[in-house]
Amino acid sequence: MSSVNSTIELIQIQENRGETPGPTTCSSRLVSPPWTFDTQTPEYGPGASMEDFIPSDAPRQGQIPKEYRNASAEELDLRIRAAKHALGERVVILGHFYQRDEVVKYADFVGDSFQLARAATSRPAAEAIVFCGVHFMAETADMLSGPKQSVILPNLAAGCSMADMADIDSVSECWEQLEEVYGTAPDASGRVPVIPVTYMNSSAALKAFCGERGGIVCTSSNAAAVLKWAFERGQRVLFFPDQHLGRNTAKAMGISVDKMPMWDPRKQLGGNTSEALAEAQVILWHGFCSVHKRFSVEQIDAARAQYPGVRVIVHPECPMEVVDAADESGSTDYIAKAVAAAPAGTTFAIGTEINMVQRLASQYPQHTIFCLDPVICPCSTMYRIHPAYLAWVLESFERGEVLNRIAVPSAITVPARVALQRMLDVVPAPVARVGQ
Ligand code: 13P
Ligand code: SF4
């Protein structure tokens, strides 16, 4: 099966010829190279996140030199391989499962955000960690790696619209209001009123916020264990930014959805009454992933009708009714392992980012694997990383220039590491797959 990028190009060619393409994309702009969107006005780029509100101070990527923008795929391939070879152990390239195939093929480690956080610590001798993923992942890698190592994000505009939905000011304001409602004194068993839990998909400042307030970080692969940890220490949890991961995980632990009010940062008390907050067990931030929000129960019904016996697996960032209608839900690593372990001939309908689903389909031709969403809609920010940016940062590093460095100030790193370490003490990160 071809890569998502080549599928999108093919759809565009068919559309230009006036033919009706088989699959369609959510945006015809996806066919444009990512530097088309490297402008002074920040934007997430074409695709699922287009309607999300981007903060005005979101990192911007300036135009990369013409020699990279104009280079053919073959030239970029030769240049990346040559730079990687010349740099040897001086550089390690990490690739998230959602990266395009044209980038993942250069990664030394491929994995989910949890595994890549561990991979970032695994090569202390490397001078640079080139993170082919999104901004919060590069921040985490910087905080966990050695002080002399540089973390490089090939395209600074590769953010995460969900992570941007919770900012430090709004969360601090929420916290103050919760302290007014609940006070700060522990109960008879020593549990504090609220434990803050931030999803890995959040800024370093929010991880630091948690570290300073007895809180912790979680990822989609350890959220249940982390919530258990939090309830041993607190009467309730403030979970941000992803409402769906929070709701799905807490519900699976037996917590009633009635006890999970949503916090809308634009409203006083988040739009809740103090009575509702008094009953709350998990306060959910009003955040979501635009990629996973697209999956629906109708898509699951259609998959079941077309493929009786199909195994439906979705990521826990999907809405609750989608997770409930699926056979299983789990992190990207869970999905990859479930596919690898299945008997040959299994049919999978998968609810997660399309690059990962199409890659699994090519890696496991003995199965039938397809994405629940028939529309090709990659994560628009992951898609901002293209081989041209990788070639640019690698060749620059070879010449002694560190471009696009993500460096978290130590005043944030120190408390954020506390929250990250708590997570790693609860569940040690599994090892990422070694790339080709
Ligand atoms: P994982 O933690 O499963 O890698 O997911 C990260 C992410 O951004 C999902 O949308
Ligand atoms: Fe963020 Fe969703 Fe993209 Fe993951 S898939 S990086 S949560 S926008």
Side-chain angles (χ1 to χ4, degrees), residues 49 98 134 136 160-162 201 289 291-292 317 379 381-382:
S49 311
Y98 294 172
V134 290
F136 71 81
C160 165
S161 53
M162 177 215 278
N201 299 32
C289 165
V291 175
H292 291 92
E317 286 176 14
C379 167
T381 48
M382 287 276 181

Side-chain angles (χ1 to χ4, degrees), residues 96 98 112-113 136-137 199 201 219-220 292 315 317 331-332:
H96 189 268
Y98 294 172
D112 69 2
S113 57
F136 71 81
M137 297 179 184
Y199 188 20
N201 299 32
T219 72
S220 53
H292 291 92
H315 194 278
E317 286 176 14
S331 69
T332 47

Side-chain angles (χ1 to χ4, degrees), residues 401-415:
E401 208 182 338
V402 179
L403 297 173
N404 285 13
R405 182 168 183 192
I406 304 298
V408 180
S410 64
I412 290 181
T413 297
V414 173

